Amino acid sequence: MLLPLARMNSSAFSFLSDFVLVLLLFIHVPSSSSNDDLYTACSKRFECGHISAGFPFWGNDRSHACGVPELELRCENNDITKMNISQVAYRVLDIYQDDGILWIAREDSFVGLCPPQFMNSTFNPKVFKSGEGYKNLTFIYGCKDATTILGIPFTCKINEVNDQRGYIQVGDTGPRECNRSVLVPVSATDILPPIGDLRVWEEILKKAFEVRLKVEREACRECFTSKGACGIDHATNQTTCYCPNQSSGSRTCARGMYLNFSSNQFMMNSSHLLMLHTP
């Protein structure tokens, strides 16, 4: 009587082994718990004052894996959103995420015509493109009194530079024979003030200007539709989809079965449970 029982146990074991093997072919096993952490982090939004942003931005509670490296946002006093672009500090006044549009103003423009940073407003062409309807102004600093430069004159003291004369010119003219220059975009519809009215020039500088993002967002729409959280795989510099209890690296979250080891359950579509009991 022992032989048939042994054969039956062997058949049952073989069936169970085949069943588990087939089941595992349809199960997406999580690669690490860190993916759950990134799913949680990238599901959050950056919140500061009236600014609310998700992918492709990151900052605050959103991990650097949640967005493009150049698009880090910072919040000051729970109300003012700032970011650095090509080493220049900007104040973010609005984000139209669906349209991929940023409205920003140079942070040093709130100081006046003599900024602490003498750097051009330049933008990485792989991430940004200029908005339409803008022109450049060049603010030239450290000019000698006998200069031949034409433009709107003003006075500005630069550390370690004796010459304090400055000029404002339309276009990208560079410093010419002066010490340095700063290129700033302004709206083409702005009426340029006359000579001597420097307060109006300062107000023009404080106005926001538009830049557009050149970030591919279609893959993220597919990720969001599959209930995932979009981010960036910095090893490949490509978008990726972080999913609950699943690994990243694909465009979407799997909709089939997944394995939840913590509860010792095989789960299918989060509703049908199959318990495996071990002796």
Side-chain angles (χ1 to χ4, degrees):
M1 296 298 295
L2 293 177
L3 184 57
L5 181 60
R7 287 178 178 175
M8 186 171 62
N9 288 340
S10 176
S11 298
F13 177 78
S14 177
F15 170 78
L16 182 61
S17 298
D18 291 342
F19 173 77
V20 172
L21 179 61
V22 171
L23 189 61
L24 288 175
L25 293 176
F26 294 93
I27 293 174
H28 192 85
V29 181
S31 60
S32 68
S33 61
S34 63
N35 289 310
D36 278 346
D37 298 336
L38 288 174
Y39 170 78
T40 300
C42 298
S43 295
K44 298 177 181 178
R45 294 183 67 82
F46 174 89
E47 304 285 351
C48 183
H50 73 283
I51 299 292
S52 177
F55 183 87
F57 300 95
W58 64 282
N60 283 8
D61 293 334
R62 287 179 57 80
S63 163
H64 74 283
C66 301
V68 175
E70 291 89 344
L71 298 180
E72 179 187 9
L73 301 177
R74 305 186 311 277
C75 187
E76 292 189 4
N77 301 321
N78 297 317
D79 186 49
I80 300 175
T81 300
K82 296 183 179 182
M83 67 186 303
N84 286 352
I85 302 176
S86 299
Q87 301 182 350
V88 176
Y90 292 90
R91 189 172 297 190
V92 181
L93 303 183
D94 258 316
I95 296 178
Y96 298 95
Q97 196 158 339
D98 291 341
D99 300 319
I101 294 176
L102 277 173
W103 281 91
I104 58 178
R106 287 179 63 114
E107 183 65 24
D108 54 18
S109 69
F110 292 88
V111 177
L113 295 179
C114 296
Q117 288 182 297
F118 292 93
M119 300 183 68
N120 289 338
S121 288
T122 58
F123 302 92
N124 183 347
K126 294 182 178 180
V127 181
F128 304 97
K129 62 180 178 180
S130 300
E132 298 178 357
Y134 288 88
K135 60 188 174 186
N136 289 320
L137 293 180
T138 299
F139 291 77
I140 304 173
Y141 299 90
C143 302
K144 297 183 179 298
D145 291 339
T147 183
T148 60
I149 292 178
L150 300 177
I152 306 297
F154 64 94
T155 301
C156 181
K157 173 62 178 176
I158 302 176
N159 292 337
E160 301 177 357
V161 176
N162 294 327
D163 303 308
Q164 301 183 25
R165 188 176 294 277
Y167 294 91
I168 305 170
Q169 292 187 325
V170 177
D172 183 0
T173 63
R176 306 196 39 194
E177 68 260 36
C178 301
N179 185 269
R180 63 191 66 181
S181 65
V182 174
L183 186 69
V184 180
V186 297
S187 173
T189 60
D190 282 338
I191 300 175
L192 301 183
I195 295 176
D197 202 349
L198 297 181
R199 290 183 298 106
V200 181
W201 283 103
E202 291 177 350
E203 292 303 315
I204 289 177
L205 285 179
K206 292 178 184 178
K207 288 184 178 181
F209 58 91
E210 174 188 303
V211 292
R212 293 179 176 268
L213 301 178
K214 295 172 63 176
V215 178
E216 196 275 322
R217 299 192 297 274
E218 183 58 35
C220 279
R221 291 191 182 97
E222 297 178 15
C223 177
F224 296 145
T225 301
S226 67
K227 309 301 182 184
C230 202
I232 291 288
D233 183 344
H234 291 288
T236 62
N237 201 32
Q238 300 292 322
T239 57
T240 188
C241 194
Y242 300 114
C243 309
N245 296 316
Q246 297 178 18
S247 63
S248 60
S250 61
R251 291 170 66 98
T252 61
C253 294
R255 297 190 179 186
M257 296 177 291
Y258 63 87
L259 184 64
N260 187 341
F261 284 110
S262 63
S263 61
N264 196 32
Q265 295 172 338
F266 288 106
M267 305 182 66
M268 182 173 9
N269 294 329
S270 303
S271 57
H272 304 290
L273 304 184
L274 173 63
M275 296 293 297
L276 293 183
H277 296 281
T278 54

